[in-house]
Amino acid sequence: MSARRFVVVGASLAGLRAVEAARKSGFDGPITLIGAEPHLPYDRPPLSKAVLDGTDLPAFRGEEVLRDELGAELVLGTAATALDTAARTVRAGKREFGYDALVIATGAGARTLPGTEGLRGVHTLRTRDDAQAVRRALDAGARTVVVGAGFIGSEVASAARKRGLDVTIVEALPTPLVRAVGQTMGAACAALHARAGTDLRCGVGVAAVEGEGTVERVRLTDGTMLAADLVVAGIGAVPATGWLAGSGLPLDDGVVCDETLFTGAPGVYAAGDVARWHNPMFGRHMRLEHWTSAAEQGAVAARNALDPEAAKPYSTVPYFWSDWYGSRIQFVGVPATDEVRVVDGQPGGDHFVALYREGDRLAGALTLNGQTQIMKYRGLIMRGATWTEGLEFTGRRRAAAMERVRARP
């Protein structure tokens, strides 16, 4: 390999997988891992799941593994502030780090509620420190208002209800999760809130979050006042690309990459939440904020950055999951809008499967408590199954399930 210095910016899952892949591929040069947070790389999905339930969140790898076994120089608690693609340097703090190969894995930052700066009790949920602060408030019995009925906000609401706390979710759209799973199935998922006793208010926004130093209430655009000791904003995330201004990299809802995760600047690749790359599986650019794609992209970006002559495309069927009130929602593919059909169970029930059609292709599948089914649909989408093949597969599964029921003594 021609690269002599490998730098990874972002001590994230994607960043860690990039370091590991570099060593596994035989790279024996110096590796520098730069991270804005002081923590070693840790798993983010549990922040709104296990951590809020009191589970500890260990690092993926101990410091001795990263330093001694992987031979990485750790520069933590220091955000990257500039990239010079001509000089091939990254500035972080007061230092400059030269590179031959670079992977950008800086992720995304949570959107905040305007006008809440400095107001105690208002949080996002993006980092380990965020999760610990929210957990402390829930443990103290906080009156909770969640802004945004997406997956993060819904998981916070679930954690509050598990403690027996009253919680209100405020969602500006008439139906939650429209962008993620479509209008029909967004409404089906939202039914879980009503069944759990969560007060979900759709089609209304937040006019102001008020309090003297500490949050006391949330004023909605319809004039309603909600008492609150804790406000959690789950209103999406913005790719962490501010430090790349002036670098010359193409920036448009993330770092724009080709199918190999190459940014167009020599030696520079991107991975994880910050990368918007061309996914050959669906023939379009995507930016995914999902665990699976971050892990896979980190490894692919590293291998391609270190050996660009043998660069391989990254093609995937997106997958994500979310846990609400003891139920698991899982989605694979893309939320195509040509047709959405519930093929098993009933919306509003404890189990359902919905399929998504794009043209004559099976493009996506959503399940509620369908853990034994979802990856089979992912496999179908990955091999380019038609819509008819997807429906036939579902029919065979249902017939087999009915036969098993009839065979029981």
Side-chain angles (χ1 to χ4, degrees), residues 13 126 175 184 203 286 357 388:
L13 171 63
R126 191 74 186 180
T175 304
T184 300
M286 295 181 174
R357 178 177 65 84
T388 300

Side-chain angles (χ1 to χ4, degrees), residues 151 173-190 320 331 334-340 354 356 366:
F151 293 110
L173 296 175
T175 304
L177 298 171
V178 171
R179 295 184 186 90
V181 300
Q183 184 169 347
T184 300
M185 301 317 299
C189 292
F320 68 83
F331 186 86
V334 295
T337 57
D338 287 348
E339 182 179 355
V340 181
Y356 294 70
L366 172 72

Side-chain angles (χ1 to χ4, degrees), residues 18-193:
V19 172
E20 292 174 334
R23 291 305 187 208
K24 287 179 182 178
S25 66
F27 178 71
D28 59 4
I31 296 177
T32 301
L33 178 62
I34 301 170
E37 292 184 56
H39 309 295
L40 294 167
Y42 58 86
D43 206 5
R44 292 186 186 274
L47 291 177
S48 53
K49 298 178 177 71
V51 171
L52 294 188
D53 288 337
T55 303
D56 290 331
L57 188 66
F60 282 119
R61 301 285 184 269
E63 185 171 348
E64 67 282 357
V65 173
L66 287 164
R67 291 188 187 277
D68 300 336
E69 294 184 22
L70 294 174
E73 177 190 9
L74 301 178
V75 184
L76 303 178
T78 306
T81 55
L83 169 65
D84 187 331
T85 56
R88 293 201 176 194
T89 59
V90 172
R91 173 168 287 279
K94 297 181 180 179
R95 298 175 62 187
E96 282 193 347
F97 300 87
Y99 67 84
D100 298 297
L102 170 69
V103 170
I104 297 170
T106 44
R111 288 191 174 94
T112 58
L113 290 168
T116 61
E117 299 80 3
L119 191 61
R120 293 186 297 274
V122 180
H123 299 278
T124 56
L125 192 53
R126 191 74 186 180
T127 69
R128 186 175 189 167
D129 295 338
D130 292 338
Q132 290 171 342
V134 172
R135 184 173 69 189
R136 287 192 296 268
L138 293 175
D139 288 344
R143 298 169 297 177
T144 303
V145 174
V146 176
V147 182
F151 293 110
I152 295 296
S154 297
E155 288 170 2
V156 173
S158 178
R161 292 300 299 143
K162 188 173 183 178
R163 291 166 168 80
L165 304 179
D166 292 334
V167 58
T168 300
I169 303 178
V170 180
E171 169 58 55
L173 296 175
T175 304
L177 298 171
V178 171
R179 295 184 186 90
V181 300
Q183 184 169 347
T184 300
M185 301 317 299
C189 292
L192 292 173
H193 292 303

Side-chain angles (χ1 to χ4, degrees), residues 5 7 17 27 64 80 98 127 156 169 171 201 216 227 253 263 276 289 302 305 311 337-338 371 403 406:
R5 301 166 299 173
V7 173
R17 292 292 186 259
F27 178 71
E64 67 282 357
T127 69
V156 173
I169 303 178
E171 169 58 55
R201 305 191 184 195
E216 299 173 15
D253 185 34
T263 67
R276 192 166 77 85
E289 297 179 10
T337 57
D338 287 348
Q371 288 90 322
E403 185 63 31
R406 286 194 293 266

